[in-house]
Amino acid sequence: MAAQALELLREVSRLEAPLEELRALHSVLQTLPLSELREQAAEMRLGPLFSLLNENHREQTTLCVSILERLLQAVEPVHVARNLGADLQRGLTHPDDSVKILTLSQVGRIVENSDAVTEILNNAELLKQIIYCIGGDNLSVAKAAIKSLSRISLTQAGLEALFESNLLDDLKRVMKTNDIVRYRVYELIVEISSVSPESLTYCTTSGLVTQLLRELTGEDVLVRATCIEMVTSLAYTHHGRQYLAQEGVIDQISNIIVGADSDPFSSFYLPGFVKFFGNLAIMDSPQQICERYPIFVEKVFEMTESQDPTMIGVAVDTIGILGSNVEGKQVLQKTGTRFERLLMKIGYQAKNASTELKIRCLDAISSIFYISPEQQTDDLLRMTESWFSSLSRDPLELFRGISNQPFPELHCAALKVFTAIANQPWAQKLMFNSPGFVEYVMDRSVEHDKASKDAKYELVKALANSKTIAEIFGNPNYLRLRTYLSEGPYYVKPISTTAVEGAE
């Protein structure tokens, strides 16, 4: 069959309008194993197929793209880079986006291969066309181009090719296409900057990082909202955070939050700015960030009082992030009764808000209340027990009620709350003393979908692996938990049938 494919490929290259042969070749390739194609790869002449892409014929182009996708999988990336460079170049300027995506997928293979990537770095025209793909209307094409350029920039040679040549001018030219394309270029620059301090230096020297930061702190509120997401991505790296601090950007963001009260349009950018500080706190030190930028904590508490579900959601998410480690929990504890009132609001929203906000509240509660066994102290356990009682009059019943609602996402989110507190003795006592709760945990018939079964299994595992569970739940219940654990999440109890003599 591979020989038949080769013969058809030769036939295609000889004809001017080989539509029937293309259809036949396409059909043969559907059933041909890739291993057989690889054996014949050396004999394949793919140039003629690329040239057929230039014809203004829809079906012919579609067939050629599909055939090339299959055949190129059998060809080594180095061979593609060395022998099909001109074809790739033409593919990137083709009016049909499917041809661009095919070409960029090959570029993607080449840049992942250390031997092949040098071929691309020596082809300035090809690199230029990849850059111009960022400016197209098709998002898939732009994303593939960004991914390839980001990958190229992982090497010193790639950084030099992109930032120390005319390609930088091409990048700046593409940015001027429109706002959307400008943000795409910023996305690329942030991706490259995040790799290492050296990569960041290349990007800052280019002037593009400075331009992004200027837009972040500018007057356009919609631009601010977009730019803060990218700056937050940069802040995920240690060298990125250092740079932002040295440039005074973190102080500027804090000052903008301070002035947000007098800005009627602050709702556009405030959620992103608050998220930025939430992520900053958890990546560095919650205590240091909250002490240095008190407006951050103040604004989070303020946002929970909002009537706007978007603001409440961001505040709840941020509290969840902040409370996800012990230092963050201690920062929240220092706010005293104010945090207890906030917990009451989160408990209320978990019961009464929209499904989406309920899930965000439950996720935040899970994050706030979880303490790993090795970090548990008497003080921390007293703190989480006190917090739990602030959520509602009967928090355990509240979450059990939510878990009984016919929505798998809510059910799983409520189970996550139980799992978060399952290794804490005070919570185990609450569960044991709550009528029917132990039976509810053991009952497999409650969960019907895979996600719910997995979530219940995690709860059982957290309980069964706790050192205090046997003492609090009693040995018989402890053994039932161990049995559930050993049977796995998807165990179904066999139904025994008794044969009755004479029954039909």
Side-chain angles (χ1 to χ4, degrees):
M1 195 169 289
Q4 185 187 353
L6 272 176
E7 185 51 44
L8 282 166
L9 193 56
R10 291 189 196 104
E11 193 68 23
V12 163
S13 65
R14 286 196 292 266
L15 298 170
E16 285 185 24
L19 200 55
E20 286 303 320
E21 288 73 13
L22 284 170
R23 287 177 186 145
L25 178 56
H26 184 264
S27 178
V28 168
L29 289 174
Q30 297 307 303
T31 54
L32 193 62
L34 202 56
S35 57
E36 285 190 38
L37 276 177
R38 286 199 178 103
E39 288 170 14
Q40 305 291 335
E43 296 181 49
M44 290 182 196
R45 287 182 61 246
L46 301 181
L49 275 175
F50 274 99
S51 64
L52 288 171
L53 291 168
N54 297 329
E55 302 298 322
N56 191 18
H57 191 300
R58 181 77 185 164
E59 187 188 356
Q60 184 170 299
T61 298
T62 304
L63 283 168
C64 284
V65 166
S66 184
I67 291 166
L68 281 165
E69 276 176 353
R70 185 72 177 149
L71 292 176
L72 285 164
Q73 286 179 53
V75 182
E76 288 298 319
V78 175
H79 180 87
V80 176
R82 284 179 187 159
N83 300 298
L84 298 170
D87 296 306
L88 294 178
Q89 216 166 289
R90 282 194 296 274
L92 292 176
T93 58
H94 197 282
D96 192 310
D97 285 332
S98 68
V99 178
K100 288 195 183 93
I101 289 169
L102 164 73
T103 308
L104 284 164
S105 73
Q106 292 309 307
V107 171
R109 289 180 69 215
I110 292 166
V111 299
E112 293 289 336
N113 184 295
S114 56
D115 295 324
V117 72
T118 51
E119 299 289 333
I120 277 196
L121 293 177
N122 294 328
N123 190 338
E125 193 57 37
L126 182 62
L127 288 171
K128 180 180 177 179
Q129 293 307 332
I130 297 170
I131 286 170
Y132 277 96
C133 281
I134 299 175
D137 294 332
N138 187 301
L139 182 60
S140 297
V141 171
K143 289 276 185 191
I146 288 168
K147 187 178 177 183
S148 292
L149 290 168
S150 180
R151 184 68 184 74
I152 286 167
S153 302
L154 290 178
T155 63
Q156 181 70 28
L159 286 168
E160 288 171 7
L162 199 55
F163 292 103
E164 293 185 348
S165 70
N166 294 335
L167 293 174
L168 182 57
D169 295 329
D170 291 313
L171 203 55
K172 290 178 178 177
R173 206 170 291 122
V174 166
M175 284 182 85
K176 293 175 182 173
T177 308
N178 57 42
D179 288 350
I180 291 169
V181 175
R182 190 167 78 256
Y183 299 141
R184 286 177 190 166
V185 174
Y186 285 148
E187 183 188 328
L188 169 64
I189 293 300
V190 168
E191 272 190 37
I192 295 170
S193 298
S194 300
V195 173
S196 68
E198 293 74 27
S199 302
L200 176 58
T201 301
Y202 273 95
C203 292
T204 52
T205 305
S206 75
L208 294 175
V209 175
T210 311
Q211 190 176 326
L212 166 63
L213 298 177
R214 201 162 46 238
E215 292 204 46
L216 171 71
T217 53
E219 296 304 313
D220 190 321
V221 293
L222 294 175
V223 169
R224 274 184 190 175
T226 306
C227 291
I228 191 63
E229 289 184 26
M230 298 178 202
V231 173
T232 301
S233 296
L234 183 57
Y236 282 131
T237 65
H238 179 67
H239 64 271
R241 291 194 296 279
Q242 272 189 324
Y243 173 77
L244 293 172
Q246 285 163 7
E247 295 297 307
V249 176
I250 301 173
D251 290 340
Q252 284 176 287
I253 294 171
S254 174
N255 291 336
I256 290 171
I257 295 176
V258 171
D261 288 341
S262 58
D263 183 355
F265 301 107
S266 64
S267 61
F268 286 108
Y269 59 82
L270 202 52
F273 278 41
V274 167
K275 277 186 201 171
F276 169 81
F277 271 108
N279 284 303
L280 202 63
I282 211 62
M283 285 181 286
D284 273 346
S285 157
Q287 187 171 335
Q288 283 178 23
I289 294 295
C290 293
E291 282 177 1
R292 182 165 180 184
Y293 304 103
I295 186 62
F296 157 58
V297 180
E298 185 61 38
K299 190 54 71 176
V300 171
F301 276 88
E302 206 177 280
M303 285 164 74
T304 59
E305 309 273 357
S306 172
Q307 298 302 307
D308 181 354
T310 304
M311 291 294 187
I312 298 169
V314 170
V316 166
D317 292 346
T318 307
I319 290 290
I321 291 168
L322 201 52
S324 64
N325 69 17
V326 169
E327 189 182 322
K329 293 183 207 303
Q330 288 166 335
V331 167
L332 293 171
Q333 174 70 349
K334 282 178 186 172
T335 64
T337 55
R338 198 173 180 197
F339 183 60
E340 288 172 7
R341 287 197 301 274
L342 185 145
L343 284 170
M344 198 184 303
K345 290 193 190 78
I346 292 179
Y348 175 83
Q349 295 291 351
K351 185 181 180 183
N352 300 295
S354 67
T355 300
E356 192 237 348
L357 187 50
K358 280 179 182 173
I359 292 167
R360 288 167 81 173
C361 288
L362 293 168
D363 285 346
I365 290 165
S366 301
S367 177
I368 294 163
F369 281 89
Y370 177 73
I371 312 172
S372 65
E374 59 273 13
Q375 290 181 311
Q376 288 180 12
T377 63
D378 289 344
D379 284 348
L380 283 174
L381 290 169
R382 274 194 295 272
M383 180 186 79
T384 51
E385 183 176 11
S386 166
W387 284 0
F388 198 72
S389 64
S390 300
L391 287 163
S392 79
R393 275 199 294 273
D394 190 345
L396 210 63
E397 274 309 300
L398 165 68
F399 300 126
R400 201 162 146 197
I402 293 169
S403 78
N404 288 330
Q405 292 179 23
F407 303 105
E409 295 93 341
L410 276 176
H411 180 70
C412 291
L415 286 174
K416 267 178 69 180
V417 173
F418 294 139
T419 306
I421 58 173
N423 64 13
Q424 300 177 47
W426 62 263
Q428 292 169 4
K429 287 171 187 169
L430 269 183
M431 290 174 183
F432 183 70
N433 292 323
S434 175
F437 192 89
V438 175
E439 291 308 316
Y440 162 77
V441 172
M442 305 293 186
D443 185 1
R444 288 182 181 271
S445 67
V446 178
E447 284 73 37
H448 303 291
D449 58 280
K450 182 181 182 300
S452 300
K453 290 175 193 288
D454 288 339
K456 172 65 81 69
Y457 188 73
E458 288 304 313
L459 168 58
V460 171
K461 191 198 294 183
L463 287 167
N465 290 339
S466 168
K467 290 176 181 174
T468 54
I469 197 72
E471 183 188 340
I472 293 169
F473 269 39
N475 269 326
N477 286 323
Y478 170 66
L479 292 173
R480 289 171 71 197
L481 286 169
R482 298 303 311 178
T483 301
Y484 191 122
L485 200 61
S486 65
E487 289 169 345
Y490 316 118
Y491 175 77
V492 178
K493 191 175 181 181
I495 300 169
S496 59
T497 55
T498 308
V500 179
E501 191 178 343
E504 292 185 1

